[in-house]
Amino acid sequence: SSETSVAELDWPALAERVRTCTNCELHGTRIQTVFGVGSENADLLIIGEAPGAEEDRKGEPFVGRAGKLLDAMLGAIALSRDDVYIANILKCRPPNNRDPQRDESTACTPYLERQIQLLQPKVILALGRIAAQWLLQSDAPIGRLRGQKLGFGNPETPLVASYHPAYLLRSPAAKAKSWEDLRLVRKILRTTP
Ligand code: URA
């Protein structure tokens, strides 16, 4: 029931809670929620910003053009979509793809925190400034946050921040740094028991 706290929900109950969520105003403009996809045994959790138009229509994260590039990025470290878990800070699309508002991120983050708790990933890859700054509670530019092992939450999960694939589509020169970040992710996966 809705009296059960989010922190106690199992995967199916959490997905259902998100599907029927009205905790912020974005529920009024969504087609559907985008809960997340992938393996519930994944060692790598990828966190983006929010669903776009295509994701809102399909109910799946990163299915547009940026998603195709994300698949290629995963391929570069010998991973596929089925090996990882992919979610966003916001489960609903902001109108016209505007940035998430603080109250929306605050309302939605308990769902992500429960996803992390259920998943227990070895490492989180935060894609883009919005996701990285929110998770790290930092105002530093993404160019400063990327390239190193940081951490999220308590107990702390290792976190690597990197560029958003939509940014890489506009600025292909940044791909070299993105591959460095992916190799760091790979190394953390390899060295974490
Ligand atoms: N961009 C994101 O950050 N997340 C998606 O799911 C799609 C595009």
Side-chain angles (χ1 to χ4, degrees), residues 48-52 55 60-63 66 88 164:
E49 173 180 339
E55 290 77 21
E60 242 193 79
F62 285 100
V63 287
N88 286 307
H164 196 285

